Amino acid sequence: MRRILILLVTLAAGAAALAALWIFRGREISSFIDRYRTVETRSGSIQSIAYEGNGTGGILIVNNLSLSLNEVGPGLALSVGSTKDNQLALASSGKVFPFGPLTSTSENTGERLATVPPLGDQAFCCNPSQRSQLANTT
């Protein structure tokens, strides 16, 4: 009986120590393990880009992946619109990133800008929710 009690106390103390280690050093442990094995992500070439919104927020649609621009980090002001060359572009901090020539300009429900990347561009997109298995648990 005493042997079982000592074993249970030892297991409980070990579990508590592992939990505390994971809580306080989980990020470092995850980064260390990720050096040796990470989850493979699949990326594909970008076939279409569309934007639905009013210019400062909204949704950027890459292939069929919807990316919200409504909740960006503090100090990061993003705006989407057309350039003087009639290209769909994302602008931030005075820098403009054109995606390609506009293919459509409006819909009845609001503004929708769309483009197809120019031939020769090697743009790829992967799902941002795919990353390390351990990082998902922290």
Side-chain angles (χ1 to χ4, degrees), residues 96-121:
V96 178
F97 304 95
F99 294 129
L102 288 172
T103 56
S104 64
T105 56
S106 67
E107 278 186 357
N108 295 339
T109 59
E111 190 171 358
R112 178 181 172 96
L113 303 173
T115 188
V116 175
L119 293 174
D121 270 7

Side-chain angles (χ1 to χ4, degrees), residues 59-137:
I59 298 174
L60 188 66
I61 303 166
V62 179
N63 291 345
N64 286 322
L65 177 65
S66 296
L67 304 169
S68 174
L69 300 177
N70 294 325
E71 298 178 14
V72 294
L76 184 62
L78 297 176
S79 59
V80 180
S82 60
T83 65
K84 62 182 178 182
D85 300 329
N86 202 30
Q87 293 191 19
L88 176 64
L90 175 81
S92 176
S93 302
K95 296 178 183 173
V96 178
F97 304 95
F99 294 129
L102 288 172
T103 56
S104 64
T105 56
S106 67
E107 278 186 357
N108 295 339
T109 59
E111 190 171 358
R112 178 181 172 96
L113 303 173
T115 188
V116 175
L119 293 174
D121 270 7
Q122 294 184 352
F124 294 94
C125 180
C126 67
N127 190 343
S129 66
Q130 295 177 342
R131 55 184 181 169
S132 166
Q133 289 176 335
L134 283 176
N136 287 336
T137 60

Side-chain angles (χ1 to χ4, degrees), residues 17-28:
L18 286 175
L21 181 67
W22 185 252
I23 289 171
F24 294 110
R25 295 290 179 208
R27 186 178 305 257
E28 289 87 0

